[in-house]
Amino acid sequence: MADTDGTTEAKEFHTDIPQTSEAFFLKGSNSLDWGMKNRLGRIFNPESGRTVMLAIDHGYFMGSTTGLERIDVNILPLEPYADTLMLTRGILRSIVPARTQKSIVLRVTGGTSILKELSNESLAVDIEDAVRLNVSAMAVQVFVGGEYERETITNMTRMVDMGTRYGIPTMAVTAVGKDMVRDAKYFRLATRICAELGSHYIKTYYVPKDFETVTAACPVPIVIAGGKKQPVPDALNMAYRAVQEGAAGVDMGRNIFQDDAPIAMIQAVRAVVHEDLAPDKAFEMYNDLAGQTA
């Protein structure tokens, strides 16, 4: 116990200055608990309000897909340029150094492969393991309109409830089956359902027409999926248009790690997302950086 002898009476109460409380910077998140906000603040840059997530979780249903054959060789050199890594617990424990200061979004659903019906997923990670791994958020696949729609939505709501107990946000990932129409109407439906049922932010696909209505109708942040590998100018243009139309960043994988110059690509994507760099300037930046490492 501190010795009270010799202490002086406090005088700097600043009674003329009202106490202020800073509003949280992220859309729809101001009423969340402190721990939730702190974790989301690790994922999203407080200055730009956006994030560059590096998605490397494809192996949980695709196996060792192109670019992810060796995470230690191909992916770890990209880690310094990402805000967040999205991955499975197996890769996190076996390969990612515990010294990393990057936020972690953990894939917590699974159970099927590309050889079966992908929507037949269940929860594959216990909340206690997410706590042990100190993750910043948990990712749950949701198949609105899919064969197992109800089951995957229920997976998400259960994870929201469990995560809320421990202050860990849940990110819903809106999956699109091969027979579904990818348009703004569908993504307004899928993202709004996820938000209404408690998802703290949502990963979905960009569509060129009316994407701004998807972000406007969703009360929580949206990040866009990169999808299949595209030519570099197209991927940069997609990222630029998405953030200009209300997205809070990207969760990009194949367009980065399958590129011929992945370090150059992720830096160009960062400039688009955090600095609003125009796509043509970002492509020039990409070419300059790629030339330096050639």
Side-chain angles (χ1 to χ4, degrees), residues 186-249:
Y186 171 79
F187 290 119
R188 286 196 302 268
L189 172 69
T191 56
R192 185 60 177 262
I193 286 173
C194 293
E196 294 267 356
L197 293 175
S199 179
H200 300 98
Y201 75 111
I202 298 166
K203 174 180 176 177
T204 196
Y205 288 92
Y206 177 76
V207 288
K209 184 179 180 182
D210 297 330
F211 181 74
E212 68 276 8
T213 68
V214 179
T215 57
C218 185
V220 297
I222 284 177
V223 297
I224 66 154
K228 294 180 180 180
K229 180 72 176 75
Q230 306 178 59
V232 171
D234 294 346
L236 294 173
N237 185 61
M238 177 181 68
Y240 180 81
R241 290 189 60 182
V243 296
Q244 297 305 311
E245 294 169 21

Side-chain angles (χ1 to χ4, degrees), residues 7-278:
T7 59
T8 58
E9 183 179 356
K11 296 181 181 179
E12 297 300 327
F13 295 104
H14 298 290
T15 57
D16 58 327
I17 303 175
Q19 179 175 306
T20 59
S21 297
E22 181 180 305
F24 193 59
F25 68 93
L26 207 57
K27 177 182 179 181
S29 305
N30 201 54
S31 297
L32 298 177
D33 290 339
W34 191 93
M36 286 272 195
K37 292 177 182 176
N38 183 261
R39 286 183 169 91
L40 288 169
R42 298 180 208 167
I43 297 168
F44 293 89
N45 184 318
E47 299 297 323
S48 67
R50 297 171 183 165
T51 184
V52 174
M53 297 175 59
L54 179 60
I56 56 169
D57 60 327
H58 305 66
Y60 92 97
F61 71 101
M62 296 176 70
S64 54
T65 190
T66 302
L68 295 181
E69 300 92 344
R70 287 286 301 272
I71 303 292
D72 56 332
V73 175
N74 298 336
I75 300 302
L76 289 187
L78 303 174
E79 182 251 14
Y81 306 100
D83 297 311
T84 300
L85 300 178
M86 179 177 170
L87 73 180
T88 62
R89 61 179 169 180
I91 293 300
L92 182 60
R93 279 196 168 104
S94 61
I95 296 177
V96 177
R99 60 176 165 73
T100 183
Q101 296 301 301
K102 301 300 181 180
S103 55
I104 299 297
V105 174
L106 188 69
R107 167 69 65 176
V108 295
T109 53
T112 55
S113 75
I114 53 174
L115 304 177
K116 296 287 186 178
E117 170 54 49
L118 288 177
S119 68
N120 190 15
E121 285 196 348
S122 60
L123 296 181
V125 177
D126 190 282
I127 183 64
E128 292 183 358
D129 212 20
V131 173
R132 276 189 289 269
L133 290 168
N134 195 32
V135 305
S136 294
M138 302 174 294
V140 178
Q141 203 84 3
V142 177
F143 291 81
V144 173
E147 182 177 348
Y148 291 90
E149 176 188 78
R150 178 182 177 278
E151 290 83 353
T152 60
I153 291 176
T154 303
N155 287 341
M156 186 201 74
T157 59
R158 288 177 60 200
M159 217 69 227
V160 167
D161 289 339
M162 288 188 282
T164 298
R165 293 192 201 115
Y166 296 94
I168 303 177
T170 297
M171 178 183 77
V173 182
T174 62
V176 181
K178 60 184 178 181
D179 297 324
M180 295 182 194
V181 177
R182 296 191 182 199
D183 59 16
K185 182 179 180 181
Y186 171 79
F187 290 119
R188 286 196 302 268
L189 172 69
T191 56
R192 185 60 177 262
I193 286 173
C194 293
E196 294 267 356
L197 293 175
S199 179
H200 300 98
Y201 75 111
I202 298 166
K203 174 180 176 177
T204 196
Y205 288 92
Y206 177 76
V207 288
K209 184 179 180 182
D210 297 330
F211 181 74
E212 68 276 8
T213 68
V214 179
T215 57
C218 185
V220 297
I222 284 177
V223 297
I224 66 154
K228 294 180 180 180
K229 180 72 176 75
Q230 306 178 59
V232 171
D234 294 346
L236 294 173
N237 185 61
M238 177 181 68
Y240 180 81
R241 290 189 60 182
V243 296
Q244 297 305 311
E245 294 169 21
V250 301
D251 188 15
M252 195 171 280
R254 286 170 286 182
N255 278 294
I256 293 173
F257 63 71
Q258 289 183 350
D259 192 80
D260 292 335
I263 292 177
M265 184 60 178
I266 194 170
Q267 290 183 84
V269 171
R270 281 193 67 82
V272 167
V273 171
H274 289 306
E275 302 170 22
D276 292 314
L277 190 67

